[in-house]
Amino acid sequence: GENVGLHLPTLSVQEGDNSIINCAYSNSASDYFIWYKQESGKGPQFIIDIRSNMDKRQGQRVTVLLNKTVKHLSLQIAATQPGDSAVYFCADLSSGGYNKLIFGAGTRLAVHP
Amino acid sequence: NAGVTQTPKFQVLKTGQSMTLQCAQDMNHEYMSWYRQDPGMGLRLIHYSVGAGITDQGEVPNGYNVSRSTTEDFPLRLLSAAPSQTSVYFCASSSPAGGGTDTQYFGPGTRLTVL
């Protein structure tokens, strides 16, 4: 079955450093991925997405890389700030006429001053 | 726009009680979904709907019922609550966008405890 998982449960970084959060998936037919940020007590918030016809997409301070060969994607956060502290999820949005998100377990990012 | 709203924010039930978690969205989104999130885990899909009058099961549907009589509302019903249903419940909505993103917008969640 589908499995979207994360390599590290917790990532600690210093303020100002770059953060890299990794995610692996098992379904080679997956063609659309989303990164979400979830702050304590809140619902997930969309960060950035990428389709399988791309291998890189950039947003404001964030970049997502997709390696379809090894079924791996990563979220890079530049100049990490205390406000970036949260749990980050990668999710696989299956296609087929309906929206069904398959979430990984999440990585907690802790930013230290 | 208020986005996706959920009520209540917190709820405590006794085993065997029933209740309905409310979800509403004012973005005219076709798709709505319910997820549960257990401690230290990602979200798991319970039920979803692709439009008014159409619902289907997700990954963990047992013990839950849904209906979609209007585009705006998608209530989740627990017919006989069990301690295993203690969780945080998130409602989400989205609209398929040709050439754009299908991203889902999440509500703030309902924290449910079943004793």
Side-chain angles (χ1 to χ4, degrees), chain B residues 54-115:
Chain B
I54 306 171
T55 64
D56 206 345
Q57 297 180 348
E59 183 184 358
V60 288
N62 292 341
Y64 307 95
N65 281 352
V66 292
S67 60
R68 185 93 181 273
S69 57
T70 67
T71 300
E72 295 78 17
D73 300 297
F74 191 42
L76 178 71
R77 281 183 286 275
L78 283 71
L79 300 179
S80 180
S84 62
Q85 294 178 304
T86 294
S87 189
V88 181
Y89 292 84
F90 290 99
C91 178
S93 74
S94 65
S95 179
T101 67
D102 296 341
T103 185
Q104 298 197 9
Y105 295 86
F106 285 84
T110 293
R111 185 176 295 275
L112 175 68
T113 301
V114 183
L115 304 176

Side-chain angles (χ1 to χ4, degrees), chain A residues 22-52:
Chain A
N22 297 304
C23 182
Y25 63 96
S26 60
N27 184 0
S28 57
S30 297
D31 61 1
Y32 183 51
F33 302 90
I34 304 173
W35 280 99
Y36 283 92
K37 173 186 180 182
Q38 186 177 25
E39 296 175 280
S40 181
K42 297 183 179 179
Q45 179 182 8
F46 173 88
I47 302 174
I48 192 168
D49 61 349
I50 189 167
R51 295 193 181 274
S52 60

Side-chain angles (χ1 to χ4, degrees), chain B residues 33-45:
Chain B
S33 306
W34 275 103
Y35 295 85
R36 61 176 288 173
Q37 184 176 33
D38 299 312
M41 297 181 64
L43 283 71
R44 291 183 292 169
L45 182 65

Side-chain angles (χ1 to χ4, degrees), chain A residues 35-108:
Chain A
W35 280 99
Y36 283 92
K37 173 186 180 182
Q38 186 177 25
E39 296 175 280
S40 181
K42 297 183 179 179
Q45 179 182 8
F46 173 88
I47 302 174
I48 192 168
D49 61 349
I50 189 167
R51 295 193 181 274
S52 60
N53 61 352
M54 305 171 69
D55 53 19
K56 180 178 180 179
R57 191 168 189 209
Q58 288 185 297
Q60 187 176 13
R61 284 201 305 119
V62 295
T63 301
V64 56
L65 300 177
L66 176 62
N67 186 330
K68 295 180 286 295
T69 301
V70 296
K71 297 198 282 287
H72 178 272
L73 65 159
S74 65
L75 177 71
Q76 300 179 4
I77 305 174
T80 312
Q81 302 170 0
D84 295 327
S85 294
V87 177
Y88 290 81
F89 296 96
C90 65
D92 169 13
L93 183 65
S94 67
S95 57
Y98 48 80
N99 274 25
K100 290 175 65 177
L101 277 173
I102 306 296
F103 281 83
T107 292
R108 181 173 300 278

